[in-house]
Amino acid sequence: NVNVATITQGMNMIQSEFDKAFSDVGVTLTGVSRPWGSWFVAGLYNLTETPQKAVLDFAKAGLPAGRYAVYDFWNRKYLGVKKRRVVFELLPGDCVVLRLTPVENEMTLVSCTKHILQGADELSDIRRNKNSLAGKLRTVAGQEAELGFFIPEGLAVNPGKNIFVRKNFAVLKIEPEQSGMTDWKINFIQNKTN
């Protein structure tokens, strides 16, 4: 069962909270809660025929204070950990879909490329032990998927077959041969250089 708590105020979300200069940018925000984690999915839309600056201010959008790992779904790009806001230049008719995952000092799943809600339905049975995160991903034979992980200071992930690491972000590429639930696992270790 997926609990998707919608905090969406529609395409003109909290109009008074955005400067008039941003009134042509639509914003939607949805909260997702699973037994293994919670996150937000935000959409920013340029509804005009001219480029627009789009700002998602976390406090004005009603997000709890904290640090968020931000992942751009359409561009498959990790944008780092942010505390206050994200800013984009959107071309006419353009949109960006973001997953905003609260992060602390533990390895955290912060993206899944299979669905726009990025893990709400296609991931299950996620479990953590001392040195790994593991779970199941609903897959389709021949359709590649990627899971992204925030790596906090003090931990490290060894790159390997289908695991790619860049600074504090790791990607696990899954290439299923059969459709169904695919087991996945990513191991991490204490980083002795910190």
Side-chain angles (χ1 to χ4, degrees):
N1 252 354
V2 176
N3 178 10
V4 178
T6 303
I7 329 170
T8 304
Q9 274 83 24
M11 296 300 281
N12 294 314
M13 179 189 130
I14 318 174
Q15 192 67 39
S16 63
E17 304 237 3
F18 291 97
D19 295 333
K20 291 188 181 205
F22 307 130
S23 64
D24 294 324
V25 174
V27 178
T28 59
L29 183 65
T30 300
V32 179
S33 179
R34 300 283 285 141
W36 44 267
S38 298
W39 63 93
F40 298 91
V41 176
L44 288 80
Y45 311 87
N46 179 355
L47 305 173
T48 73
E49 295 181 14
T50 59
Q52 297 290 322
K53 182 178 182 179
V55 178
L56 177 62
D57 182 295
F58 299 167
K60 289 180 181 179
L63 297 179
R67 298 172 41 211
Y68 292 88
V70 181
Y71 186 83
D72 178 341
F73 178 76
W74 294 123
N75 293 308
R76 288 188 171 190
K77 185 175 180 184
Y78 176 63
L79 304 177
V81 174
K82 310 290 182 187
K83 290 183 180 181
R84 293 183 179 85
R85 72 183 64 80
V86 289
V87 180
F88 294 90
E89 290 293 330
L90 296 179
L91 296 175
D94 205 1
C95 76
V96 63
V97 175
L98 307 172
R99 177 171 158 164
L100 304 142
T101 307
V103 291
E104 298 292 332
N105 292 319
E106 63 183 13
M107 182 103 155
T108 306
L109 176 72
V110 298
S111 70
C112 178
T113 61
K114 291 294 293 177
H115 187 274
I116 200 165
L117 290 179
Q118 301 180 63
D121 187 49
E122 66 277 18
L123 286 167
S124 65
D125 299 329
I126 294 182
R127 56 210 174 278
R128 172 187 312 279
N129 72 28
K130 183 178 175 185
N131 296 313
S132 69
L133 275 173
K136 296 181 181 295
L137 174 66
R138 184 176 301 111
T139 57
V140 176
Q143 290 185 3
E144 174 187 290
E146 293 179 358
L147 302 178
F149 301 87
F150 165 73
I151 307 168
E153 192 172 313
L155 292 181
V157 172
N158 290 327
K161 183 178 185 217
N162 294 340
I163 298 174
F164 308 92
V165 179
R166 178 180 279 165
K167 296 185 182 182
N168 70 338
F169 188 70
V171 173
L172 172 60
K173 188 180 286 190
I174 299 170
E175 299 170 325
E177 295 178 8
Q178 299 177 3
S179 297
M181 296 307 287
T182 300
D183 291 320
W184 59 267
K185 183 176 183 180
I186 190 163
N187 296 308
F188 50 90
I189 58 172
Q190 293 296 318
N191 187 347
K192 296 177 182 172
T193 61
N194 288 342

